[in-house]
Amino acid sequence: MRLTWLNFAGAASAIVAIAVAWYAGARPAALLFDGIASRELSSASLGKIGWNGTYLLIDGHVMGLTASGDTQSMRLTVDAHDRLVATANGKSIVLGARNGTLPDQGETIAAFAADEGDRIDFVHTQGRLIWPNWFETNYMTGQTPTWKRFHHYRLVWRKASGETLTLFWRYEDYYSPSDHRFVGADMTGPDHCGLVRAEISAPGQSNNGQ
C-alpha cells in the first residue's frame, strides 16, 4: 500500500512538473516554432506606403517603429526632396518620394511611392502554436485573454539598385473568452514584439532570417 501511494505521489508530481513546464515554456516554444513554420494569411506587392511621422500605414495595417520596451528599431525622416529615408544600425536607404495620400481611418496619410524598378512586398503570417494565459489579471477591466498566439508582418522594399530594406514585426493576438474569438493581432508582449528587426542591405546581400 505504501509503495502504491509513493507511486501515485511520484506520478502526480511528474504531471504537475510537466504542466508547469508546458505553461512556462509555451510562449518561447511558439517563438521558436514560428521561426520555422507559420501560416500565410496574405501577401501583396505594393506601389506605395503611408507615413505620418509616427507610424507606417502598409496595406491597411498600422505599423509602429518600436519594439517591446518602447525601444526604437528604426528612424524614418523625409528629406529636402520629399523622399522617405530609413535609418537603422548606422545605415540609411532612400525609399520613395511623396506621392499623394492614403486613407487612414477616416483621414488621410502622406503616401510615398516606389521608384521605377523598385519592388515593395508585404506578407502577413499567423503562428501555428497558441499558448495559455490563464493566470493573468486585469484589474482595470476584469477581462483577460485566455489564449494567445503570434502574428508576423514582413516588409521588403527592394530598390532597383539592389539595396534592400527589410522590416519584421511580431504582435500578440488575444483570445477573448467573452467574444469567443481572437480579437486582433496588434498587442505588444513583454518581449520579442513590435518591430523586432530592421535591416538595410547593400546590393548582393540578402536578409532571410527572422
Side-chain angles (χ1 to χ4, degrees), residues 57-80:
L57 183 67
I58 309 174
D59 198 28
H61 297 275
V62 173
M63 313 301 294
L65 302 186
T66 58
S68 296
D70 289 331
T71 56
Q72 188 152 2
S73 303
M74 180 184 68
R75 184 167 60 92
L76 286 173
T77 56
V78 179
D79 67 13

Side-chain angles (χ1 to χ4, degrees), residues 147-186:
W147 298 91
K148 297 181 180 182
R149 65 185 176 192
F150 288 123
H151 279 238
H152 319 93
Y153 303 86
R154 180 184 175 95
L155 173 79
V156 178
W157 189 318
R158 183 170 290 104
K159 301 292 295 180
S161 65
E163 286 184 290
T164 303
L165 172 68
T166 301
L167 304 178
F168 184 78
W169 291 267
R170 180 186 294 112
Y171 291 104
E172 291 185 353
D173 188 10
Y174 290 177
Y175 182 85
S176 168
S178 59
D179 294 326
H180 306 289
R181 63 185 180 90
F182 283 93
V183 295
D186 57 359

Side-chain angles (χ1 to χ4, degrees), residues 13 49 51 61 95 166:
S13 298
I49 64 173
W51 167 246
H61 297 275
L95 301 173
T166 301

Side-chain angles (χ1 to χ4, degrees), residues 11-86:
S13 298
I15 292 172
V16 170
I18 291 171
V20 170
W22 172 69
Y23 188 89
R27 187 179 187 271
L31 277 170
L32 178 62
F33 188 79
D34 286 357
I36 302 171
S38 56
R39 184 166 70 93
E40 184 176 303
L41 298 181
S42 66
S43 63
S45 293
L46 308 175
K48 59 179 68 175
I49 64 173
W51 167 246
N52 68 352
T54 302
Y55 59 79
L56 289 163
L57 183 67
I58 309 174
D59 198 28
H61 297 275
V62 173
M63 313 301 294
L65 302 186
T66 58
S68 296
D70 289 331
T71 56
Q72 188 152 2
S73 303
M74 180 184 68
R75 184 167 60 92
L76 286 173
T77 56
V78 179
D79 67 13
H81 302 288
D82 264 354
R83 298 178 66 81
L84 191 62
V85 180

